[in-house]
């Protein structure tokens, strides 16, 4: 690790090394807008391994060949005057949200039930910006205000849009390759980061699976944007095969988050502009308090298919990938 980083620290400022600087992982993460307040670091105290030189850190997803952004004339935002207007009135960003409960908000200081709200986050007190408990224990999508909205950047319903607000560290684990942890405590319901990568068509995703030596290994990095897939949808982009995010060779630090059968995070589909449902974000939130230094994990097969049941079938074990999470409720196999 030290030998691999020596050139970064001593020679990248010299003429003629522009390519080396562009391909350097340390320089890539130093280019992030949040590097000073919420840095990403890389450490290895286990062995001499380094990150794949073909991998590139990015702080937003890249649209691959054949994936077109929504045309500007179809993009819309709410006309709320401020965050409170979004929270309590008819914000168009929340038009698809049915849940208007006050589940864990309790009563106000006068002993009365607070006004109903529909968006996913706490807006006051110590839990401001954290997912409400009812949302956190569900698989419901999260609808947020966004850059086309009139409510402004301080609207409480822009948590994922504002981006990662905690430092993350990519580190070498003892027996599971690279992993991710934070150098600060993370609270239950707190947004951690998005899973990013190259957004590709389903056809291209299948081609990459076929080219991979181990198809299951490729599936570790491919996430289908299928939350809103519906063969009866009026939107033709939601009727067909969903787009997929490939984070194997370009992604953010969450690309290195490992699986656990007892995870401390969960992925949620996050929607900004409703015209972009086919390009929804994959947002990771803490589902319990996570002390600093604890490895961050999520369940790779949470609610996806029958893999959990397959892991209990001895007849299928020979074709499955063994799980190394080591949790007390480990299923033994992934898929």
């Amino acid at each position: 690790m030290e030998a691999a980083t020596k050139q970064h620290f001593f020679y990248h400022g010299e003429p003629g090394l522009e390519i080396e600087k562009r391909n350097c992982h340390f320089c890539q993460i130093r280019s992030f807008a949040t590097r000073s307040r919420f840095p990403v670091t890389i450490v290895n105290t286990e062995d001499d391994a380094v990150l794949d030189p073909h991998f590139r850190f990015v702080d937003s997803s890249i649209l691959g060949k054949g994936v077109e952004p929504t045309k500007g004339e179809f993009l819309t935002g709410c006309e709320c005057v401020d965050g409170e207007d979004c929270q309590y009135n008819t914000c168009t960003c929340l038009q698809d949200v049915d849940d208007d409960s006050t589940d864990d908000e309790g009563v106000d200081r006068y002993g009365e039930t607070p006004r109903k709200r529909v968006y996913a986050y706490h807006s006051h007190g110590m839990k401001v910006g954290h997912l409400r408990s009812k949302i956190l224990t569900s698989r419901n999508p999260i609808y947020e205000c966004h850059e086309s909205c009139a409510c402004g950047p301080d609207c409480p319903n822009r948590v994922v849009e504002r981006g990662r607000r905690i430092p993350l560290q990519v580190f070498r684990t003892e027996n599971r390759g690279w992993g991710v942890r934070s150098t600060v405590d993370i609270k239950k319901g707190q947004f951690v980061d998005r899973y990013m990568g190259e957004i590709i068509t389903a056809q291209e995703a299948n081609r990459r699976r076929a080219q991979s030596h181990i198809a299951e290994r490729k599936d570790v990095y491919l996430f289908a944007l299928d939350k809103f897939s519906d063969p009866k949808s009026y939107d033709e982009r939601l009727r067909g095969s969903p787009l997929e995010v490939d984070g194997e060779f370009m992604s953010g630090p969450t690309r290195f988050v490992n699986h656990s059968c007892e995870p401390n995070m969960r992925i949620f589909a996050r929607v900004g502009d409703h015209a972009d449902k086919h390009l929804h974000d994959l947002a990771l939130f803490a589902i319990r308090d996570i002390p600093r230094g604890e490895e961050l994990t999520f369940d790779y097969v949470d609610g996806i298919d029958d893999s959990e049941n397959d892991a209990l079938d001895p007849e299928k074990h020979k074709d499955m990938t063994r799980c190394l999470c080591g949790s007390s409720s480990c299923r033994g196999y992934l898929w």
Side-chain angles (χ1 to χ4, degrees):
M1 185 78 173
E2 184 177 351
T5 59
K6 184 176 181 181
Q7 182 160 309
H8 166 264
F9 289 110
F10 294 103
Y11 302 114
H12 274 187
E14 296 184 4
L17 292 176
E18 289 78 11
I19 294 179
E20 285 83 350
K21 184 174 183 178
R22 186 167 60 248
N23 293 334
C24 174
H25 295 131
F26 293 91
C27 290
Q28 291 162 9
I29 57 181
R30 280 172 58 86
S31 70
F32 290 179
T34 57
R35 68 185 183 279
S36 58
R37 295 183 60 197
F38 313 107
V40 175
T41 53
I42 308 169
V43 297
N44 182 1
T45 59
E46 294 291 332
D47 52 35
D48 295 326
V50 295
L51 298 181
D52 187 334
H54 297 104
F55 173 78
R56 178 161 63 96
F57 280 101
V58 294
D59 58 0
S60 62
S61 289
I62 307 297
L63 299 185
K65 184 178 180 180
V67 180
E68 299 293 334
T70 303
K71 294 181 180 179
E73 57 264 32
F74 295 107
L75 298 176
T76 59
C78 73
E79 298 180 358
C80 304
V81 297
D82 55 28
E84 184 169 342
D85 199 20
C86 289
Q87 183 178 6
Y88 294 112
N89 294 316
T90 55
C91 177
T92 57
C93 294
L94 305 173
Q95 62 188 4
D96 290 346
V97 180
D98 296 325
D99 176 21
D100 64 350
S101 70
T102 57
D103 57 341
D104 47 2
E105 297 284 350
V107 296
D108 63 20
R109 60 181 176 177
Y110 302 107
E112 299 178 353
T113 301
R115 289 178 290 174
K116 290 186 176 181
R117 57 195 47 82
V118 292
Y119 61 64
Y121 306 107
H122 291 276
S123 57
H124 301 93
M126 297 295 292
K127 295 182 179 180
V128 63
H130 296 180
L131 276 184
R132 293 190 290 126
S133 294
K134 189 169 184 177
I135 306 298
L136 196 61
T137 56
S138 76
R139 293 189 176 92
N140 295 337
I142 298 168
Y143 293 90
E144 285 195 349
C145 297
H146 50 93
E147 60 183 6
S148 299
C149 295
C151 53
D154 295 327
C155 173
N157 195 31
R158 294 189 180 215
V159 173
V160 176
E161 187 196 62
R162 281 192 281 268
R164 178 173 52 83
R165 288 293 184 267
I166 59 173
L168 293 178
Q169 185 172 84
V170 178
F171 73 103
R172 191 70 173 172
T173 68
E174 184 176 341
N175 66 341
R176 298 202 294 164
W178 297 96
V180 180
R181 60 194 176 198
S182 180
T183 54
V184 300
D185 295 336
I186 302 173
K187 294 297 184 181
K188 178 181 177 181
Q190 189 172 355
F191 171 60
V192 177
D193 202 355
R194 292 173 294 156
Y195 183 84
M196 293 167 281
E198 183 183 7
I199 301 178
I200 57 177
T201 63
Q203 293 77 16
E204 175 62 15
N206 289 331
R207 187 190 69 81
R208 295 184 185 187
R209 286 188 182 94
Q211 282 191 335
S212 177
H213 294 299
I214 305 175
E216 290 82 0
R217 176 177 172 81
K218 186 63 182 176
D219 280 328
V220 170
Y221 305 108
L222 285 167
F223 285 83
L225 300 179
D226 58 357
K227 185 66 176 179
F228 302 98
S229 294
D230 182 356
K232 298 180 180 179
S233 174
Y234 291 110
D235 188 338
E236 63 179 2
R237 298 168 303 180
L238 300 178
R239 289 199 299 268
S241 300
L243 301 172
E244 300 196 37
V245 181
D246 186 356
E248 182 170 11
F249 294 115
M250 63 171 70
S251 189
T254 53
R255 182 266 197 195
F256 300 97
V257 173
N258 283 314
H259 161 84
S260 176
C261 298
E262 283 185 24
N264 49 31
M265 297 190 299
R266 171 173 281 176
I267 282 187
F268 290 84
R270 175 267 181 190
V271 176
D273 197 297
H274 283 235
D276 279 336
K277 281 186 175 180
H278 67 303
L279 291 170
H280 64 77
D281 286 322
L282 299 171
L284 285 156
F285 285 81
I287 57 176
R288 62 170 173 80
D289 290 347
I290 308 172
R292 62 180 180 179
E294 179 180 320
E295 183 177 0
L296 303 179
T297 58
F298 68 94
D299 189 340
Y300 286 4
V301 297
D302 180 24
I304 296 176
D305 51 28
D306 292 329
S307 296
E308 185 169 343
N309 293 329
D310 289 346
L312 302 177
D313 186 350
E315 293 297 320
K316 297 183 179 181
H317 287 176
K318 63 180 183 297
D319 298 319
M320 299 184 72
T321 300
R322 184 175 292 276
C323 178
L324 301 175
C325 76
S327 66
S328 59
S329 59
C330 179
R331 297 188 291 267
Y333 295 85
L334 281 174
W335 44 58

